[in-house]
Amino acid sequence: MLELLIAPFTIDFMQQAMLTAVLLSVASAVLSCFLVLRGWALMGDAISHAVLPGIVLAYASGIPVVIGAFVAGMICTLATGYLSENSRLKEDTVMGVVFSGMFGLGVVLFSVMRIDVHLDEILFGDILGLTWADVLQTGLVALAASVIIWFQRKDLLVQCFDPQHARVIGLPVKALHYGLLVLLSIVIVTALKVVGIILIIALLIAPGAIGYLMTDRFDAMLFYAVAAATISSVLGIVISFVLDSAPAPTIVLVLMFIFVLVFLFAPVHGLIGGRRARRTAVEPQFH
Amino acid sequence: MNSDVSNVTEAAGQSQRLSGVDSGVVKVSSAANESGRATRRKSGNEPGNEPGNEPGIAAKNITVTYNNGHTALRDASFSIPNATICALVGVNGSGKSTLFKALMGFVPLASGSVEILGKSAGRALKRNTVAYVPQNEDVDWDFPVLVEDVVMMGRYGHMNFLRRPSAKDRSQVESALQRVNMWEYRHRQIGQLSGGQKKRVFLARALAQESRVILLDEPFTGVDVKTEESIIALMRSMRDEGRVMLVSTHNLGSVPQFCDHVVLINRTVLADGPADVVFTRKNLEHAFGGVLRFHVLGGHELHDDDDAREVTVITDDERPFVLYGENDDAPEHQSFDKD
Ligand SMILES: Nc1ncnc2c1ncn2[C@@H]1O[C@H](COP(=O)(O)OP(=O)(O)OP(=O)(O)O)[C@@H](O)[C@H]1O
Ligand SMILES: [Mg+2]
């Protein structure tokens, strides 16, 4: 049994998978905190679907796929921003319209152009079939994104919490806004081809949600988000090895399990944990 | 502030006691009172008279038209010298909040220009010159930030790009929170406060910002009297440090107490200038039209002798509560409701 648990850490392709998953987890966990707070939880979903037409067109015209995907992702976010600013619709409504439209376009283009790759190769990635070059590339992108966001987190937080105050104190609000979106798109595009759409969508929502339930301080929220994402990546890959299941969905399942635990038992905001906190807080008054 | 009112009364050489007049102007019409007011005003420095000193805030012919076609401000001009507390007074919908937004460039100007310490609004904001307390905070109250975090956000303009607070930043946050009596609440999540407490936290953030120009849109609405007094005291000391403050308020009663300058607006600037010139019965009637509640107690209602002095009570929103009598135990209540 022990050997079975240790094996994934010794086999080459398992090491690669684990390292990549962990690095991407950190970057997307940090991003997810901002997405959850900004009410952009669907943004990850939206961008990762909206990149499809870009990928197809890039394939067809011989441009690197990553670039096509990135451009399509940015078009999705910019169109969403423009439409919600210039209409009375809420951002998530517009986002839903834009990304389903772009995904539809991608699928139509894909079938019309008869490209000789499989759609699931594009969208589901293959975390067990990575090369060290893939690991390096993904790792560098993930690391850069994490570091940039870590150093900008306070400004991003003000911008998120009170955009008006951010403007008053002279923060570069436009740059912060679009910078976050660009980083998000880059991380998604990089992640898509290695870990697949399901994992990246989950990693861009659940860790932030977990952190948000755990605490009332932002830095602590970041910590819990990163911890949850990292733990589920490692555990998920080990479990997938033992069960011989697909790694990405297994990671998602572990993440969801942690989410449920936190939802129930988080100290103050959890369903049961909160009740206990309230009980102990009230008691002293009766003595 | 009650003590201020009694100063006036003493200066007027009277034994009567007036209190509870937060929401009205109590003006004892006598020359003695005018001099009392003048001496009180002298304690603040006479602002902006030094030659070559650019005005703190200046607006030239600004017009603001909202997307729906409504022109909220037309051709409004005024100028406020440095080291001044200026009241912005007008009825609901007269364009006070619009004027604040226009000063900071939050709404586009259809025409006209704004200068803050001689610079354009955009450049002034970039230099952390302006602090702003909006009328309503439009934030997510469930956000994972504590009271002290919110006030610390006021300090960001003073920090390097990593935003790591120094000892000075921390002490500024502490003293700002002490000023608004919210220091004990510093570890509360921001949503877990009452409406007035939230307001006080955002006031503290503006105080901690230590900007040279401070814009406060109805800062005292929903704030208790004790906090209001301590904020007014702080504003006075900030004025003495040379800062300029623009404060919109419906509390006409407190305007002459702490403002040196007044801008009266109703979709344009009706009058602006030093408080004792502009803040007059005639101008107020003009600015408020029929909305103003106005009460005059003639000498014969006040005195048995033939003292001709009279009490004028003006208020725009709340009913003033005026006490007038011999002693504290058995005051004759005079509560006016004559519209
Ligand atoms: N976003 C907006 N779009 C269209 N019209 C607006 C908008 N905001 C304000 N107005 C209109 O502009 C006018 C001035 O509004 P403003 O909020 O500046 O008034 P105010 O003097 O601050 O009033 P109050 O004393 O109630 O705070 C009002 O007639 C209002 O209806
Ligand atoms: Mg207003």
Side-chain angles (χ1 to χ4, degrees), chain B residues 66 68 70 72 90-99 135 218 250:
Chain B
Y66 279 109
N68 63 358
H70 178 76
V91 291
N92 289 143
S94 56
K96 299 182 294 298
S97 299
T98 305
L99 181 65
Q135 187 171 6
E218 303 202 15
H250 290 285

Side-chain angles (χ1 to χ4, degrees), chain B residues 105-138:
Chain B
F106 285 4
V107 289
L109 300 181
S111 69
S113 64
V114 168
E115 277 192 5
I116 294 175
L117 300 181
K119 296 188 190 65
S120 73
R123 287 184 55 201
L125 294 190
K126 276 271 169 290
R127 290 163 183 236
N128 195 31
T129 310
V130 181
Y132 172 49
V133 179
Q135 187 171 6
N136 300 305
E137 285 295 342
D138 182 19

Side-chain angles (χ1 to χ4, degrees), chain A residues 37 151-152 154-155 157-158 160-162 164-165 167-171 212 215-218 221, chain B residues 105-106 125-126 130 132 134 137 139 142-146 148-149 153 156 162-163 189 205 209:
Chain A
L37 291 178
F151 282 122
Q152 287 292 309
K154 296 203 170 169
D155 288 14
L157 189 71
V158 177
C160 238
F161 174 63
D162 191 347
Q164 198 162 250
H165 180 67
R167 264 175 93 168
V168 171
I169 61 175
L171 296 185
Y212 186 66
T215 172
D216 278 334
R217 301 211 71 166
F218 182 70
M221 176 177 170
Chain B
F106 285 4
L125 294 190
K126 276 271 169 290
V130 181
Y132 172 49
E137 285 295 342
V139 304
D142 289 330
F143 221 78
V145 287
L146 309 184
E148 59 180 6
D149 300 332
M153 287 176 188
Y156 282 13
L162 289 179
R163 315 288 180 210
Q189 191 268 336
R205 182 176 72 182
Q209 205 181 326

Side-chain angles (χ1 to χ4, degrees), chain B residues 152 155-166 169:
Chain B
M152 191 58 87
R155 298 293 304 168
Y156 282 13
H158 299 273
M159 302 178 191
N160 69 8
F161 86 109
L162 289 179
R163 315 288 180 210
R164 184 168 294 155
S166 66
D169 295 321

Side-chain angles (χ1 to χ4, degrees), chain B residues 47-100:
Chain B
N49 288 339
E50 311 94 286
N53 204 358
E54 82 267 343
I57 306 172
K60 244 182 251 148
N61 307 104
I62 56 175
T63 298
V64 175
T65 304
Y66 279 109
N67 283 340
N68 63 358
H70 178 76
T71 297
L73 281 176
R74 189 186 299 280
D75 216 14
S77 305
F78 65 91
S79 129
I80 309 169
N82 268 315
T84 303
I85 303 176
C86 175
L88 180 61
V89 175
V91 291
N92 289 143
S94 56
K96 299 182 294 298
S97 299
T98 305
L99 181 65
F100 282 116

